[in-house]
Each structure stands twice: as C-alpha cells, then as structure tokens.
Amino acid sequence: MDTGISGNRPRGSGGAFPRQALSITLKNTSQESITVRVQEIVSILGNFVPFPERATLGADESVTLEPMRGSLANLDRLELTVALATDNDRDRQTIMLQRE
C-alpha cells in the first residue's frame, strides 16, 4: 500500500523532518449570519486546538484559523478530519488533501 509518505529522513539535516503548516479557511456561503465553533481538527500532523475556536461570520465572510504546524516526512497526501458546530447543527467531515 502506498501511503504517499516517505520514511526516509532528509540527508544533511541531522535527521529532522521539514516543518509544515496547514491553514484552514471557513467561509459562510449563506445569506444569513452564522456563529460556528470548531470542535476538532485531526490529522497526521496532530490534533490541534483551533484559534479562533468560535467565529461569527456574516453573509459571504470567511475566517482563517491560525496555521497548524508539524514536522513529518514530505507528505503527498494528508487525511484531515474537521468537526464544526453551530447552535442548531453539527458536521464532521474527513477530507483527503493531495499535493498537486
């Protein structure tokens, strides 16, 4: 099975993997204002505490969460699970991100 993750450490770097950052932007595509709470963000880079955890977005507004940083071998694919909640609804999705 090819996971797209290399187990080889870069040469000449003392064995350290490169630092990587994951940025997530949430956009309100409705015509109504919405308050969303980020309940969970899980990936191979780690389980992150989102900042901001809660945001109120007007129609067509967006918010970018503080980047999540980690050190791993060069990733071609990353499985990311994001759980969001509003006052009336909850959603949890797993997304496969792939480098192009």
Side-chain angles (χ1 to χ4, degrees):
M1 182 169 113
D2 179 17
T3 62
I5 301 171
S6 170
N8 297 328
R9 293 182 185 260
R11 293 183 184 167
S13 65
F17 290 126
R19 294 289 292 165
Q20 298 170 354
L22 175 64
S23 294
I24 295 176
T25 299
L26 305 172
K27 183 175 182 178
N28 178 8
T29 59
S30 73
Q31 297 302 311
E32 303 294 323
S33 181
I34 188 171
T35 298
V36 65
R37 184 170 60 90
V38 183
Q39 293 182 300
E40 185 177 45
I41 299 174
V42 179
S43 77
I44 195 169
L45 291 174
N47 300 348
F48 294 95
V49 176
F51 183 80
E53 179 183 347
R54 179 181 300 265
T56 300
L57 304 172
D60 216 31
E61 285 186 339
S62 61
V63 62
T64 300
L65 303 179
E66 185 176 291
M68 293 152 275
R69 302 183 192 288
S71 296
L72 288 176
N74 198 15
L75 294 175
D76 289 327
R77 294 174 25 172
L78 175 72
E79 185 175 290
L80 176 69
T81 300
V82 178
L84 304 175
T86 65
D87 289 337
N88 304 321
D89 201 11
R90 295 183 194 290
D91 190 25
R92 179 186 188 90
Q93 293 187 17
T94 299
I95 306 160
M96 183 62 70
L97 303 175
Q98 186 158 338
R99 184 179 305 200
E100 293 185 354

